[in-house]
Amino acid sequence: MKALGIDIGGSGIKGALVDTLSGELATERFRLETPTPSSPEAILPLLEEIVKKFQHSGVIGCGFPGVIAHKKIQTAANLDKHWIGTNLGQQLKEKTNCPTCVLNDADAAGLAEVRWGAGKDNQGTVLMITLGTGLGTALFKAGHLYPNVEMGRILLNNGKEAESWASSANRKEEDLSWETWASRLNEYLSLMEAYLQPDLIILGGGVAKKAEKFLPLLNLSTEVVPAKLLNHAGIIGAAAHAQAIYEQ
Ligand code: BGC
């Protein structure tokens, strides 16, 4: 069974066909730059381009970097604010004729990791954190998702939002050493440990590929592991989630 997974991010929009039974990519990933401004008018044609690129006519799952509730986008911290209040699933369905389902990007990545990746078979509390332009979080208990957990937006003791201090974008933009960035991340993860008491923390996003540079610098009592599906997790999770919704 193949569904199209799309992951809308602050810097890139990625898509691929996904085998939703095995949780593997069935094609190469196709990536387009996120335009500026990142408005619905600018991004919708790119989503159509991705659908056309794969000549896809089946189910589409799309991860969006914001809260999705009652089928509408409620927040867009790192994208144009005109997204707020829109029904992206409906718009994409009208443009492509494909059954479409939209969910939070970190929730999508976490769903893939607990099903096929680093959180597989974990019956405890698993916190997935995506380190990218923003800082996405997804919370699971025995593999079940509690949707739209926005722990990247909490304020740290210095008064800054966690995602404006400890995200992967901070490391690049402020040219931080691995040590400095890891100490920021450690401060943030210590709060997550104290508030959520996770049994496992999975760190995802592109930077997870370089886990050996910063994981040994963290000092936490919770087990922290890199995501196994790396930055494919968002695409895989979105596709699998949408497929499951339309199979019901
Ligand atoms: C958004 C989250 C999203 C995260 C990662 C944050 O700015 O509020 O919903 O998961 O970025 O993209």
Side-chain angles (χ1 to χ4, degrees):
M1 195 62 80
K2 288 194 185 65
L4 176 63
I6 299 180
D7 185 13
I8 303 178
S11 58
I13 302 172
K14 290 103 23 188
L17 288 181
V18 175
D19 180 330
T20 56
L21 289 178
S22 67
E24 285 162 3
L25 293 195
T27 60
E28 289 283 299
R29 212 173 62 131
F30 178 57
R31 183 183 190 278
L32 296 167
E33 287 293 312
T34 304
T36 313
S38 50
S39 59
E41 291 72 27
I43 288 186
L44 275 166
L46 303 184
L47 302 180
E48 279 184 84
E49 189 180 331
I50 294 175
V51 178
K52 285 201 186 110
K53 156 93 185 161
F54 292 105
Q55 299 179 335
H56 185 66
S57 56
V59 168
I60 302 176
C62 183
F64 183 90
V67 172
I68 316 295
H70 315 296
K71 302 206 168 145
K72 288 195 177 148
I73 291 169
Q74 312 288 334
T75 67
N78 292 306
L79 288 184
D80 189 278
K81 300 290 173 273
H82 288 100
W83 280 104
I84 297 171
T86 62
N87 184 334
L88 172 59
Q90 179 68 26
Q91 292 182 14
L92 208 48
K93 200 168 170 181
E94 278 164 16
K95 292 207 180 293
T96 62
N97 257 330
C98 298
T100 303
C101 180
V102 179
L103 74 165
N104 173 264
D105 58 352
D107 286 354
L111 282 167
E113 285 293 333
V114 299
R115 180 138 177 222
W116 291 291
K120 189 166 182 271
D121 297 330
N122 192 306
Q123 295 304 306
T125 301
V126 174
L127 176 65
M128 167 86 194
I129 302 182
T130 60
L131 301 161
T133 309
L135 213 157
T137 54
L139 191 62
F140 297 85
K141 179 73 185 173
H144 295 286
L145 172 70
Y146 186 98
N148 288 314
V149 164
E150 287 281 312
M151 285 291 172
R153 311 285 311 276
I154 63 157
L155 294 184
L156 300 175
N157 293 336
N158 60 12
K160 294 193 193 241
E161 257 188 17
E163 74 169 7
S164 329
W165 178 249
S167 73
S168 189
N170 286 116
R171 187 183 68 80
K172 290 184 195 152
E173 283 160 17
E174 297 177 45
D175 202 14
L176 303 176
S177 66
W178 286 106
E179 286 74 16
T180 305
W181 182 63
S183 84
R184 290 187 182 190
L185 191 59
N186 201 72
E187 180 189 340
Y188 169 66
L189 294 178
S190 306
L191 292 176
M192 292 300 95
E193 222 175 23
Y195 293 147
L196 299 174
Q197 301 292 323
D199 297 296
L200 176 69
I201 297 176
I202 305 173
L203 298 180
V207 75
K209 271 188 259 173
K210 297 179 185 156
E212 78 287 353
K213 304 241 190 233
F214 63 95
L215 272 196
L217 304 173
L218 300 177
N219 181 16
L220 298 152
S221 30
T222 312
E223 186 185 359
V224 185
V225 294
K228 271 204 182 137
L229 308 171
L230 302 175
N231 49 358
H232 296 167
I235 295 175
I236 295 170
H241 175 72
Q243 184 66 48
I245 296 276
Y246 284 103
E247 263 169 22
Q248 277 172 8

